[in-house]
Amino acid sequence: MYMDAVVIAGIATVLLMVGFFVGVGIFVIKDQKEHGHRDTKEGKHGQKPI
């Protein structure tokens, strides 16, 4: 396969996007574990007026 600058830039772009989404996923998982489930809902509609 011929590797020119466009192919290398495309592979780098895909790797950066994958790294970004993995980083966001790790952040969300850590934040979820830190704060836990804050369930303040009372009944079906929560505390909001119907």
Side-chain angles (χ1 to χ4, degrees):
M1 182 174 153
Y2 182 70
M3 297 291 285
D4 62 344
V6 176
V7 174
I8 294 171
I11 292 171
T13 302
V14 170
L15 290 175
L16 285 171
M17 286 189 296
V18 168
F20 174 76
F21 286 117
V22 167
V24 169
I26 290 171
F27 171 77
V28 168
I29 290 171
K30 285 184 178 180
D31 192 56
Q32 182 88 23
K33 287 180 182 178
E34 182 179 330
H35 294 289
H37 297 287
R38 295 183 181 177
D39 197 11
T40 59
K41 293 181 180 178
E42 294 177 1
K44 185 176 179 181
H45 298 287
Q47 297 175 348
K48 295 179 181 178
I50 298 175

